[in-house]
Amino acid sequence: MSVIAKFLYEIIPGRFDDFMEMLGQAASPEFDSPVMPSSVRLFRCIVPGPDTSSIQLFIEYPDMAAYGRRTDFENNNPKWRALFSEQPDSPQRLVSVELLSEIVPSAPL
């Protein structure tokens, strides 16, 4: 069953392009691992308006084992940790992380 890691970020006003550049670096071949996400989607809340500062990043994995292997890769990669470490001048602030599992109607809850 699919697993989605949902990250909620607050973006510092005027720093959206910097945040997108950071995500672009994260998607570079330098950070490829044996297990990669099935999909990555980025959403912005459009209410109350387009300048809302929160961004939601959804990263999907085929199952919990794949999520765990990718997370181990990230946690053990100093360059990855440095890329996402929050500093006083970072363009983002991580507000929350949720791990969601898919509900398949025929599967037991």
Side-chain angles (χ1 to χ4, degrees):
M1 286 184 274
S2 288
V3 170
I4 294 179
K6 175 186 168 189
F7 298 85
L8 177 62
Y9 288 100
E10 180 180 284
I11 308 303
I12 305 303
R15 302 288 309 274
F16 180 77
D17 290 341
D18 297 328
F19 178 70
M20 292 304 294
E21 181 180 330
M22 184 184 80
L23 292 182
Q25 289 175 11
S28 73
E30 175 183 9
F31 295 116
D32 284 355
S33 67
V35 174
M36 295 296 288
S38 306
S39 70
V40 177
R41 298 189 67 193
L42 194 61
F43 293 87
R44 176 194 317 245
C45 182
I46 56 174
V47 175
D51 294 328
T52 301
S53 65
S54 66
I55 296 293
Q56 295 183 31
L57 175 63
F58 291 80
I59 304 174
E60 183 175 8
Y61 297 90
D63 54 34
M64 192 64 187
Y67 166 78
R69 287 192 304 274
R70 178 60 192 186
T71 299
D72 286 345
F73 169 83
E74 293 170 0
N75 289 337
N76 291 308
N77 186 311
K79 288 183 179 180
W80 181 271
R81 287 194 328 268
L83 181 62
F84 282 93
S85 70
E86 292 185 11
Q87 305 299 321
D89 65 339
S90 294
Q92 84 290 343
R93 182 178 72 84
L94 181 61
V95 175
S96 66
V97 179
E98 291 182 57
L99 195 55
L100 308 170
S101 64
E102 181 179 21
I103 297 174
V104 178
S106 61
L109 297 176

